[in-house]
Amino acid sequence: MIENYFSAEDVSEFRIWLNYADRFVVISHMSPDGDAIGSSLALCRYLKSLGKEAVALVPDTPPDFIRWLPGIDELMIYDSDPDAAERVIYQADVVCCLDFNVVKRIDKVAASFLYTKAKKILIDHHPYPGATFNVILSYPEASSTAELVFHFICALGGFSHIDYDIAECLYTGMMTDTGAFTYNSNNSCLFNVISLLLETGIDKDRIYSRVYNTFSESRLRLQGYVLSEKMQIFYDMSTALITLTSKEMLRFNAKKGDTEGFVNMPLQIEGIMLSVFIREEKDQIRLSFRSSGNVPCNILASDWFHGGGHTNASGAEIKCSMEEAVARFHEAMKSWEKSDKDNIRQLFKK
Ligand code: MN
């Protein structure tokens, strides 16, 4: 076996819960991604293999590119039936919280989550977990929550329960949270996990294709437009900015999710270490931040846009106009350029 993130002691309380608890809910964050859904479905399937009732619940609809994951048909979406979702949370003995650090991230599910008397465990890789959980298993150095769920199951002695379906879910979570193992994945242990998952017979090349080769024609055309017309490069700050209005989205007939990955593209330019993507949504502005090396895009997200996340991948939502958001971005850049205090400019050196 491989080195485990969790000791027997880390999972001892959950083990006690397993002795008496029957009903489990696995909750993940709003705008769920491959890691949120993959890790949730995997843990649910494991709990079911122990004879437990287990439901995976997310605030809103997952993106189409993971709609093939085993068990996704049983996924409960709060938006589709809030009453049923709340009932499940109130009746649960244990709530497992995956891939988020603070309650704000589960949006409309938060009220019933805070109210339920169920035991709560957090398994997550975002820094600074909140205090609303009985057990916190937080490992910011992990590639993904899916990787942590693998270790969690193994620490409970459940390695033999990891079947083809669980392996597909876990692999998808790890792959999507690391850009197909191109960042946040310099850990030999992660590849040992992958090696064990492959032994269940999963086809990683097919998983890649099912997740990434799923663009619509309009998405690809929007991508061309964004790169040619909407990307600004600030070489003195090693930074790129892309903005996109709802009007432009409409012109390209773009759906939610069609802008996924745009923020990563400018990092392909030599010398660019920070990329910011600002887009207009129905009643707010959404910002995505990506960086390479030690450039802390989460500080830009939190100090200037009330957002947060990882060093190399963060996000924020604010209520303001596109012009205001762009102005704030320029202000932030100016301040970073001047500030010796945090030595942020130093971090832009590769
Ligand atoms: Mn994640």
Side-chain angles (χ1 to χ4, degrees):
M1 256 326 275
I2 56 174
E3 197 190 320
N4 199 306
Y5 282 145
F6 305 125
S7 65
E9 204 185 315
D10 288 331
V11 298
S12 60
E13 199 161 346
F14 190 84
R15 214 187 265 281
I16 295 168
W17 300 347
L18 277 177
N19 285 333
Y20 69 83
D22 289 319
R23 284 174 289 201
F24 289 73
V25 181
V26 180
I27 299 180
S28 199
H29 58 79
M30 63 177 160
S31 304
D33 53 16
D35 188 30
I37 301 292
S39 59
S40 296
L41 294 177
L43 183 57
C44 258
R45 187 168 167 86
Y46 169 65
L47 291 167
K48 283 180 180 168
S49 78
L50 300 176
K52 308 294 180 186
E53 273 178 42
V55 179
L57 169 68
V58 284
D60 51 352
T61 313
D64 286 344
F65 67 83
I66 43 171
R67 287 233 154 245
W68 55 272
L69 277 176
I72 195 128
D73 294 341
E74 289 161 47
L75 180 75
M76 196 172 232
I77 297 164
Y78 184 92
D79 275 349
S80 314
D81 192 347
D83 291 344
E86 279 168 16
R87 211 174 314 124
V88 159
I89 296 172
Y90 292 141
Q91 289 171 353
D93 302 311
V94 174
V95 178
C96 305
C97 303
L98 301 190
D99 204 37
F100 66 91
N101 50 355
V102 286
V103 169
K104 190 180 91 175
R105 296 280 298 133
I106 55 173
D107 198 36
K108 296 162 229 171
V109 181
S112 37
F113 169 76
L114 291 171
Y115 190 77
T116 180
K117 298 213 159 37
K119 294 287 184 194
K120 293 162 187 167
I121 183 171
L122 175 76
I123 305 171
D124 180 43
H125 68 132
H126 297 85
Y128 316 118
T132 39
F133 314 94
N134 301 95
V135 174
I136 294 177
L137 300 177
S138 168
Y139 282 76
E141 60 274 28
S143 69
S144 53
T145 299
E147 183 188 3
L148 292 176
V149 166
F150 175 89
H151 288 294
F152 182 68
I153 294 173
C154 291
L156 289 167
F159 175 68
S160 63
H161 292 239
I162 296 178
D163 60 5
Y164 183 96
D165 286 0
I166 291 181
E168 271 202 328
C169 291
L170 292 178
Y171 184 82
T172 303
M174 294 178 197
M175 183 188 76
T176 52
D177 251 28
T178 57
F181 310 104
T182 55
Y183 51 82
N184 205 16
S185 49
N186 265 334
N187 180 351
S188 61
C189 185
L190 172 69
F191 290 87
N192 288 331
V193 172
I194 294 168
S195 158
L196 292 169
L197 294 179
L198 287 173
E199 280 177 27
T200 65
I202 60 166
D203 182 342
K204 73 168 186 57
D205 302 343
R206 185 155 169 262
I207 292 175
Y208 179 95
S209 182
R210 284 174 121 180
V211 168
Y212 292 112
N213 299 340
T214 53
F215 292 168
S216 61
E217 181 190 336
S218 55
R219 187 220 136 105
L220 216 59
R221 291 196 188 279
L222 176 68
Q223 182 172 321
Y225 168 72
V226 158
L227 288 177
S228 122
E229 309 290 326
K230 302 300 311 248
M231 181 174 68
Q232 293 172 267
I233 304 293
F234 308 98
Y235 280 108
D236 49 337
M237 285 302 289
S238 312
T239 296
L241 171 69
I242 296 175
T243 60
L244 196 61
T245 64
S246 348
K247 217 169 148 191
E248 289 166 315
M249 295 273 287
L250 212 62
R251 186 180 137 203
F252 283 88
N253 202 9
K255 295 191 312 291
K256 193 186 169 196
D258 275 353
T259 58
E260 186 82 39
F262 282 7
V263 65
N264 296 313
M265 296 189 301
L267 293 178
Q268 294 175 24
I269 301 169
E270 193 174 3
I272 297 303
M273 296 190 74
L274 174 66
S275 169
V276 179
F277 176 39
I278 310 181
R279 69 186 181 282
E280 229 171 29
E281 285 188 342
K282 217 169 43 196
D283 53 356
Q284 64 180 3
I285 297 287
R286 186 178 287 272
L287 297 100
S288 305
F289 307 86
R290 293 291 183 278
S291 64
S292 55
N294 295 320
V295 177
C297 70
N298 51 348
I299 291 184
L300 179 60
S302 62
D303 288 5
W304 294 85
F305 301 97
H306 311 294
H310 308 280
T311 307
N312 293 138
S314 311
E317 293 119 40
I318 47 169
K319 300 239 187 263
C320 71
S321 68
M322 175 61 95
E323 291 70 29
E324 284 168 320
V326 171
R328 210 180 289 188
F329 160 80
H330 286 297
E331 242 176 88
M333 286 298 101
K334 243 183 234 143
S335 132
W336 271 22
E337 205 170 6
K338 282 190 201 134
S339 139
D340 300 327
K341 193 182 74 195
D342 305 320
N343 279 330
I344 284 179
R345 287 298 295 150
Q346 289 303 312
L347 301 173
F348 278 80
K349 304 214 162 65
K350 276 197 182 169

